[in-house]
């Protein structure tokens, strides 16, 4: 069942209808493929999955993960998915711990994200995202990264800014074999347990996110669990043309990040920052995005009126 089916307006009737293929794994229909698929027919799809990366020399898990896109097919509903032996290789990809990822959004390029290995602060090798958390109306998958800690990761001990390059929301385009996955900084840096995508009344994309600590499998967070909402500045453009897709691929870089109000504070959502301005006194946009949990505890963060 498509988790977005109750949220999408009629104009998104051609959007992907993903199947759940296990914990944090989705299969998107290959027939859709923005109208350009060469593998038409029922029962064919692209499986997007993640797993823990393993050190080849020791066989032990590392702090990073691998993401894979694999062309699959099945003979009927309820039957197991099987890898396409031939014909689907153009789509098949594996992003290992040495694969390049691009940082985008307001924090990209900031001094706090620059390292000796990457003075630009815009290119990261590897990801700590394992599971797919959501599928967007324009056919990409969103993966929440874990944060890295100096005590557990050698690269962080060598360069403390390396930790700031993990914990973001990764957007992967399964339908474009040449696309580099993007770490979106505008939705904030924290470990996400789950998220839901919807559209506002005027057609902007909204992402509701719960940080690690919420009650798994429930619609509400545990007391003290972090809850955030990102709302894009621009509207989603329905359709499958290249121009419409390029527009939608930029939606997560511009918008406003909110935190849920808590005890002793104004109820509802509190503005933390947008892509140009911070609403937390004494903190820049990048500082808010790097640590939204501490920013949403600021007593003088401006409420959404």
């Amino acid at each position: 069942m498509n988790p977005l089916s109750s949220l999408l307006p009629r104009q998104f009737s051609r959007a992907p209808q993903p199947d759940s293929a296990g914990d944090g794994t989705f299969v998107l229909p290959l027939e859709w493929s923005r109208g350009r698929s060469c593998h038409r027919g029922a029962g064919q799809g692209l499986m997007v999955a993640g797993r823990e990366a393993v050190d080849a020399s020791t066989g032990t898990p590392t702090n990073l993960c691998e993401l894979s896109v694999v062309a699959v097919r099945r003979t009927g509903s309820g039957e197991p998915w099987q890898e396409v032996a031939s014909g689907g290789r153009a789509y098949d990809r594996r992003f290992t711990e040495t694969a390049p990822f691009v940082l985008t959004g307001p924090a990209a390029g900031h001094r706090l994200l620059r390292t000796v290995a990457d003075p630009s602060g815009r290119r990261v090798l590897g990801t700590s995202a394992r599971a797919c958390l959501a599928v967007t109306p324009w056919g990409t998958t969103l993966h929440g990264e874990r944060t890295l800690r100096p005590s557990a990761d050698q690269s962080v001990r060598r360069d403390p800014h390396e930790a700031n390059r993990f914990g973001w929301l990764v957007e992967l385009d399964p339908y474009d074999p040449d696309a580099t996955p993007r770490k979106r900084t505008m939705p904030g840096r924290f470990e996400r347990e789950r998220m839901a995508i919807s559209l506002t009344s005027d057609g902007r994309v909204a992402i509701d996110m719960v940080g690690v600590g919420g009650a798994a499998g429930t619609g509400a967070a545990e007391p003290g669990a972090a809850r955030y909402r990102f709302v894009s500045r621009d509207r989603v453009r329905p359709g499958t043309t290249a121009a419409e897709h390029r527009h939608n691929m930029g939606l997560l870089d511009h918008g406003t990040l909110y935190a849920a109000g808590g005890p002793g504070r104004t109820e509802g959502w509190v503005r933390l920052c947008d892509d140009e301005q911070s609403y937390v006194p004494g903190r820049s946009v990048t500082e808010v995005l790097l640590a939204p949990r501490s920013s949403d505890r600021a007593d003088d963060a401006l409420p959404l009126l």
Side-chain angles (χ1 to χ4, degrees), residues 144-155:
E145 290 191 304
R146 294 175 301 190
T147 55
L148 300 186
R149 295 170 178 83
S151 60
D153 189 85
Q154 292 183 356
S155 63

Side-chain angles (χ1 to χ4, degrees), residues 118-143:
D118 173 35
S120 72
R122 297 180 181 274
R123 186 175 182 271
V124 184
L125 297 182
T127 179
S128 56
R130 184 185 67 84
C132 301
L133 297 179
V135 178
T136 68
W138 50 93
T140 60
T141 54
L142 300 180
H143 310 252

Side-chain angles (χ1 to χ4, degrees), residues 45 47 69-74 80-86 88-89 92:
M47 178 177 288
V69 179
V70 181
V72 294
R73 64 159 56 98
R74 63 182 178 184
W81 291 101
Q82 298 181 342
E83 183 175 356
V84 175
S86 62
R89 297 303 180 186
D92 291 359

Side-chain angles (χ1 to χ4, degrees), residues 249-302:
M249 285 295 289
L251 291 175
L252 303 188
D253 287 338
H254 305 280
T256 304
L257 181 65
Y258 303 88
R265 298 173 56 185
T266 304
E267 294 299 323
W269 295 95
V270 175
R271 291 185 298 179
L272 296 181
C273 70
D274 57 36
D275 51 290
E276 295 183 346
Q277 179 180 358
S278 168
Y279 300 104
V280 181
R283 302 189 188 185
S284 67
V285 170
T286 296
E287 290 169 338
V288 170
L289 295 176
L290 279 169
R293 186 62 183 264
S294 61
S295 296
D296 73 30
R297 296 294 189 266
D299 294 334
D300 42 8
L302 297 180

